[in-house]
Amino acid sequence: MRFHHTPATAVTLSPPAADSETALTEEEAERVLEERLSANPADVDVLRALMECKIKARKIDEAFRVLDRLIELQPEEYEWPLLKANMHIYNDNHAAARELFEEMLKKDPLRVEAFHGLVMATSQLNEPLKALLKRVEEATEACKKQNRNSDVRDFRLLIAQIKVMEGNFPEALKAYQDLVKEEPRDFRPYLCQGIIYTLLRKKDEADKQFDKFRRLVPKDHPYMEYFEDNMFATKFFSQKLEREGAGVRD
């Protein structure tokens, strides 16, 4: 989501003057970027735009090579290794992703995004989350002591998410409800509660939470697209659980 509305491609790419009204295709855009890069191999803006083109075209191996060049040019830029780790998850290389997230946490032990990715990678490796949950709780307490309130809230959302992944829906719901009481205009807990109620096949409760989410989330926010893209999958999973449960009862 961090790269969802990045304007780099639009800014860097401009059609040739003789054909200014014709939009470039993805292949043409990629070719133009590669030509510009050959003239200036250290142009970070062009590299970033090229990487985005490669990702959109699902040319993941090529995107990795561009991303490695960005990491080489900007070793202190935190976003590049974070993106690389998430690309490993997308590429089903969860062990490599976990290793990168752990490296990030060695440099910054309270980085929420790295913990979030680490939870995802560990879960995909079918390993228990208990030890990792304890680390997240410790990071939460450390942020409290430093008055990093935004990070504390993000960590609490992550703790609730771990509860969901463990199948502990009652505790997860309570955590989300507490977050709503503290900040009613944060749309994230409503979305999460709606998904849980959908999985529990409590349609009326789910619809209430989704309605609150829709009212609060900005129309152009990436969460809105996430919501639309994933609701079918959530409902499908809920129906699958229901069918499996009926089979057991039969």
Side-chain angles (χ1 to χ4, degrees):
M1 289 184 179
R2 216 169 258 277
F3 291 87
H4 186 85
H5 289 299
T6 303
T9 305
V11 171
T12 307
L13 285 177
S14 56
D19 193 21
S20 59
E21 295 183 359
T22 303
L24 292 176
T25 67
E26 289 186 4
E27 288 185 3
E28 289 170 338
E30 194 174 325
R31 185 176 67 252
V32 169
L33 286 169
E34 287 175 340
E35 289 172 358
R36 293 183 182 181
L37 196 60
S38 65
N40 187 0
D43 190 321
V44 171
D45 289 335
V46 174
L47 280 165
R48 180 179 186 134
L50 180 59
M51 175 190 65
E52 291 177 357
C53 280
K54 300 286 189 185
I55 292 173
K56 288 176 182 177
R58 302 294 189 268
K59 298 177 180 178
I60 302 302
D61 289 340
E62 294 180 25
F64 270 121
R65 288 195 288 272
V66 178
L67 185 52
D68 285 338
R69 177 62 175 153
L70 282 165
I71 292 173
E72 181 183 343
L73 290 170
Q74 295 184 314
E76 300 305 317
E77 176 55 64
Y78 186 84
E79 300 297 344
W80 303 139
L82 184 64
L83 178 59
K84 185 175 182 178
N86 280 300
M87 284 171 60
H88 277 309
I89 289 181
Y90 174 85
N91 219 28
D92 290 330
N93 192 348
H94 305 296
R98 182 168 64 179
E99 185 176 339
L100 272 176
F101 287 127
E102 289 287 14
E103 288 177 9
M104 284 181 249
L105 287 170
K106 286 180 182 177
K107 295 179 181 178
D108 184 353
L110 301 180
R111 178 64 66 170
V112 178
E113 299 96 330
F115 267 113
H116 185 277
L118 187 57
V119 168
M120 294 299 103
T122 302
S123 175
Q124 289 297 320
L125 289 166
N126 294 317
E127 296 184 5
L129 296 171
K130 185 176 180 180
L132 188 50
L133 174 59
K134 184 178 180 182
R135 289 173 60 187
V136 173
E137 290 171 339
E138 290 171 351
T140 306
E141 292 304 313
C143 286
K144 285 181 182 178
K145 292 177 181 177
Q146 297 178 25
N147 295 318
R148 293 169 56 169
N149 297 329
S150 177
D151 286 336
V152 169
R153 188 169 182 85
D154 288 343
F155 272 123
R156 288 173 63 192
L157 281 162
L158 180 55
I159 290 170
Q161 183 176 337
I162 293 173
K163 299 292 185 182
V164 174
M165 296 165 75
E166 292 178 331
N168 191 342
F169 293 161
E171 283 194 23
L173 282 171
K174 185 180 184 307
Y176 289 131
Q177 289 161 1
D178 289 343
L179 287 163
V180 165
K181 289 177 184 177
E182 294 171 17
E183 180 47 72
R185 298 198 61 78
D186 184 352
F187 50 81
R188 295 172 296 176
Y190 299 113
L191 174 62
C192 296
Q193 288 182 83
I195 291 173
I196 292 175
Y197 283 124
T198 300
L199 295 175
L200 292 173
R201 297 182 289 281
K202 295 184 177 181
K203 184 179 182 303
D204 290 343
E205 288 296 328
D207 288 344
K208 289 179 185 177
Q209 299 301 321
F210 289 141
D211 285 342
K212 293 175 183 176
F213 165 76
R214 287 192 190 94
R215 287 200 299 268
L216 291 171
V217 65
K219 290 182 180 179
D220 61 346
H221 196 284
Y223 261 65
M224 195 63 218
E225 185 169 326
Y226 169 86
F227 172 74
E228 300 294 348
D229 287 347
N230 284 278
M231 274 316 298
F232 174 78
T234 303
K235 290 177 180 177
F236 175 82
F237 183 58
S238 178
Q239 291 167 0
K240 180 175 181 290
L241 287 176
E242 189 170 358
R243 288 194 303 271
E244 289 174 353
V248 170
R249 288 192 296 273
D250 293 343

